[in-house]
Amino acid sequence: TPCKAGTFSSETGAATCQPCPKGSSVGLAGATKCAACKLGEMAEAEGSASCTPCTVGSFRVSGLECVVCPAGHSCPAANVTARECPFGTFMADTGAAQCKPCPATFYANRTGSIQCDKCPKGHLCPKVGTGSNGTGQPVECPAGTFNKEEGAVQCTKCKVGTSTSGTTGQVACAKCAEGSYQDRVGEPFCSPCPVGHYCMPTIPSRKFKYSKGQYNNQLNQSECAPCAGGTYSLETGSRECTKCPVGNMC
């Protein structure tokens, strides 16, 4: 009598047929051997007539059984090993066929993440899947902007009278130093107070021209300098004082 499907006999004079071992099968009667299951398939019991594909979210590339895809990985195909979730994605559950992109305001800067982290202060995470370009890092606020909150999708421009001194990733803007000013928003640097002007530390958003009778021939000045005796200035913002002409006194 021919051996039935799922069994075999490889010897002459056999009194009984042998069941296919786990991990193998044979679908025809009268078989002399069983065939190992293909990658991505399994036969859990002895005497299997066919191999069963691994369920979605599991795989088998070695051994006898399918393995459930671990958290932080995806298993898009049953015949390849689990893949770590790439930068900017995550998977908290086991048995996933695909990883999920981090939502906006979150990021994942490592592979195999089981969760995304909230965008830190001084940074922005404006896109879904931040870091999918291969870095995984949240974006630093550009110079001239800041962000004091976590989970931001955009940075705030520095107000007039402040800057970030050219640095990025700031949580606040700093007031312009004495002798400098900034009259525009979102500027990375404060400007030096120009010649003929003074910049008050109490009003760092403006520069002021020197009054008549005063002068300034240097940058970064915060106070007025009066013309010396015997000199005068009839214009505002003068760079120098003029000697008093003959026949006059100043």
Side-chain angles (χ1 to χ4, degrees), residues 18-83:
Q18 302 297 316
C20 290
K22 292 181 179 180
S24 66
S25 69
V26 63
L28 299 175
T32 59
K33 62 180 180 179
C34 300
C37 292
K38 297 178 181 178
L39 297 182
E41 298 179 347
M42 69 172 182
E44 287 186 296
E46 294 182 346
S48 295
S50 63
C51 296
T52 304
C54 296
T55 57
V56 175
S58 64
F59 67 97
R60 190 187 73 82
V61 293
S62 63
L64 300 179
E65 298 180 353
C66 296
V67 179
V68 176
C69 202
H73 295 71
S74 66
C75 297
N79 60 351
V80 293
T81 190
R83 301 173 181 174

Side-chain angles (χ1 to χ4, degrees), residues 87-113:
F87 294 120
T89 67
F90 76 105
M91 177 43 63
D93 301 322
T94 59
Q98 293 182 331
C99 298
K100 296 179 180 179
C102 293
T105 74
F106 287 81
Y107 74 101
N109 63 352
R110 57 192 178 276
T111 59
S113 294

